[in-house]
Amino acid sequence: MRDLKGHPELCAVNSATLGFQATVHEVIDEIARAGFGGLALWRREMEGQDIKSIAKHIRDAGLKVTGYCRSTYFPADSRAQFEANVADNVTALREAAQLGAENFALVVGSGKDLSAAQAQVTEGIGQLLPHARALGVKLALEPLHPVYAADRSCVTSLAQALDICDLLGDRHLGVLIDVYHLWWDAFVARDIARAKGRILGFHVSDWLTPVGDVLNNRGMMGDGVIDIPALRAMVEAAGYSGLVEVEIFSTQNWWKRPMAETLGIAKERFGAFV
Amino acid sequence: MRDLKGHPELCAVNSATLGFQATVHEVIDEIARAGFGGLALWRREMEGQDIKSIAKHIRDAGLKVTGYCRSTYFPADSRAQFEANVADNVTALREAAQLGAENFALVVGSGKDLSAAQAQVTEGIGQLLPHARALGVKLALEPLHPVYAADRSCVTSLAQALDICDLLGDRHLGVLIDVYHLWWDAFVARDIARAKGRILGFHVSDWLTPVGDVLNNRGMMGDGVIDIPALRAMVEAAGYSGLVEVEIFSTQNWWKRPMAETLGIAKERFGAFV
């Protein structure tokens, strides 16, 4: 297992961790200044911006772009809306390619009819794949914690995500493993081993107790209950050698702090708790 | 599939649904008056009471006791505490037998080291089994929603619960299927089929969106996203013929209403949404 202590260049920062309190250019500068090796950005940060100049800024700063967040939900009540969702994701894939992102994060959505939503998700990913191949951006399917099954994702376990990968059978589709979403699963070791060669990203944060707001009260690594090093060992044993990315949604704590403070603490925690 | 409309005698009420606002004797009378076929009670309701007289009251009212809630969490930091937890569960099993309960609900607890907690849970259930056999009360292992993995249960899927049943291999151990805990699982149909002959209880409520407080904001059947009839069809196809039990934790809504109102609405919803 890699030693992350003193190696922030092996770590990336998802810009959501910093609370969207500054321009994307300021975010790039702060992350580079702290010594990290990469970053992940969000579509909302591209609004009204010139993507090419953002991409150039990132390259000039020596940063990798791990991922581009995130897909528009696939499931829809009408065929027209489903097709519009897929089309919007094609647009996002082009943006990801312009940014030089390694992958496009698929947070897939859900619906009252879970089985129907799952079928639409599989079909939608299948429709994106030719575009992903043409653009050279991988699709990183991210299973979310089951607490989001009603609204954000009908894909709620790594086993289920891998079944979708198996079904579509394309090397441009893999999985994104986020400890916050998967730590509870008694079968996670078995399923991470099964994911060998298909792990496109590894996200870290922590699960606080009591969890409170399940969406926007994620903890900094070390402040919660997740055994992150154990999960990282599994992921690296399964061949993952990419950057380890911190992604913390925290309206009441980390998002209120100056960016440099959050980045400094994250850097320490990467070395001690990841 | 059984028709529940006009058949409250096929349905049971978990007393927690009524918010613990009255004595256990009042609760028994209200549930019987509404025409339900059974009820489940909690240990807290036995405090300072004569269990034999409660049991007689229930029998006289013509009600079954589906379950007795619930186990003391098994995992502990010390061996002495683990043994005390098991001993406390033996005491609870005796109370369940006195009440004539069909099963004792196992909500198993968790710990920061999930694997260690899982091992303690399996060992603890194994130690309870001889007592369960001697007393004629079945142990109903209840997988909880993964949102409770940090504190309330390290058993978070039906597949995992069935693996524990397989390991211990005893007919006095089975599973309790609660739609609130399992509805999100893409593998739930497969796993319910696997549970054939081992389903000891079927609990209903609904998952509201947004969920808000994940512990005490459960919805009445029909008010949320769960396809309860689909899950009941699976459970009955797997041989379950016991009572269908409503269990709603709802500090801000149902627990504030008069018991008769909640029972009347539950009775309607059983016929329309379960």
Side-chain angles (χ1 to χ4, degrees), chain A residues 139-236:
Chain A
L139 301 179
L141 176 55
E142 182 173 19
L144 296 202
H145 193 288
V147 78
Y148 307 119
D151 36 23
R152 294 176 177 270
S153 178
C154 60
V155 177
T156 50
S157 68
L158 184 52
Q160 184 190 1
L162 290 169
D163 280 359
I164 294 171
C165 292
D166 285 347
L167 195 68
L168 294 171
D170 189 299
R171 291 195 155 272
H172 278 79
L173 174 62
V175 293
L176 205 167
I177 291 178
D178 184 316
V179 300
Y180 188 86
H181 295 307
L182 301 179
W183 70 275
W184 56 272
D185 191 337
F187 303 107
V188 74
R190 175 196 73 187
D191 295 331
I192 289 176
R194 180 183 159 203
K196 186 165 189 165
R198 294 185 285 188
I199 302 172
L200 301 180
F202 181 59
H203 287 188
V204 296
S205 65
D206 217 334
W207 182 280
L208 302 175
T209 51
V211 66
D213 174 0
V214 290
L215 187 59
N216 287 316
N217 187 37
R218 292 195 191 187
M220 180 63 74
M221 300 80 78
D223 289 344
V225 300
I226 306 177
D227 187 349
I228 305 172
L231 291 163
R232 184 163 71 88
M234 295 173 200
V235 163
E236 296 193 5

Side-chain angles (χ1 to χ4, degrees), chain A residues 112 114 118 145-147 149-151 154 156-157 159-160 163 183-187 207-212 214 222 224-227, chain B residues 112 114 118 145-147 149-151 154 156-157 159-160 163 183-187 207 209-212 214 222 224-227:
Chain A
K112 181 147 183 175
L114 264 189
Q118 287 157 1
H145 193 288
V147 78
D151 36 23
C154 60
T156 50
S157 68
Q160 184 190 1
D163 280 359
W183 70 275
W184 56 272
D185 191 337
F187 303 107
W207 182 280
L208 302 175
T209 51
V211 66
V214 290
V225 300
I226 306 177
D227 187 349
Chain B
K112 182 146 184 177
L114 264 189
Q118 287 158 0
H145 193 288
V147 77
D151 36 24
C154 60
T156 51
S157 68
Q160 184 190 1
D163 281 359
W183 69 275
W184 57 270
D185 190 338
F187 303 108
W207 182 280
T209 51
V211 66
V214 290
V225 301
I226 306 176
D227 187 349

Side-chain angles (χ1 to χ4, degrees), chain A residues 218-268:
Chain A
R218 292 195 191 187
M220 180 63 74
M221 300 80 78
D223 289 344
V225 300
I226 306 177
D227 187 349
I228 305 172
L231 291 163
R232 184 163 71 88
M234 295 173 200
V235 163
E236 296 193 5
Y240 183 70
S241 59
L243 299 184
V244 178
E245 178 177 329
V246 57
E247 182 184 46
I248 300 175
F249 302 102
S250 169
T251 46
Q252 299 307 308
N253 183 358
W254 300 101
W255 287 10
K256 289 184 170 175
R257 305 197 191 197
M259 293 194 287
E261 179 183 336
T262 299
L263 290 168
I265 294 172
K267 199 157 62 169
E268 289 170 18

Side-chain angles (χ1 to χ4, degrees), chain B residues 67-151:
Chain B
Y68 189 47
C69 305
R70 61 169 171 72
S71 57
T72 292
Y73 299 155
F74 292 95
D77 290 334
S78 70
R79 191 71 197 169
Q81 186 58 53
F82 170 74
E83 287 170 2
N85 295 344
V86 173
D88 196 45
N89 284 327
V90 173
T91 302
L93 258 180
R94 286 200 198 99
E95 295 163 7
Q98 283 186 286
L99 281 170
E102 294 174 359
N103 68 63
F104 177 50
L106 301 183
V107 174
V108 298
S110 192
K112 182 146 184 177
D113 182 339
L114 264 189
S115 300
Q118 287 158 0
Q120 285 187 311
V121 164
T122 303
E123 182 184 358
I125 296 173
Q127 292 188 15
L128 276 191
L129 272 167
H131 301 278
R133 279 195 297 273
L135 291 162
V137 177
K138 294 201 171 182
L139 302 179
L141 176 55
E142 182 172 19
L144 295 202
H145 193 288
V147 77
Y148 306 119
D151 36 24

Side-chain angles (χ1 to χ4, degrees), chain B residues 1 3-4 10 13 27-28 76 78 115 120 139 151 161 169 183 258 263 266:
Chain B
M1 194 156 112
D3 185 1
L4 299 185
L10 299 177
V13 178
V27 165
I28 294 164
S78 70
S115 300
Q120 285 187 311
L139 302 179
D151 36 24
W183 69 275
L263 290 169

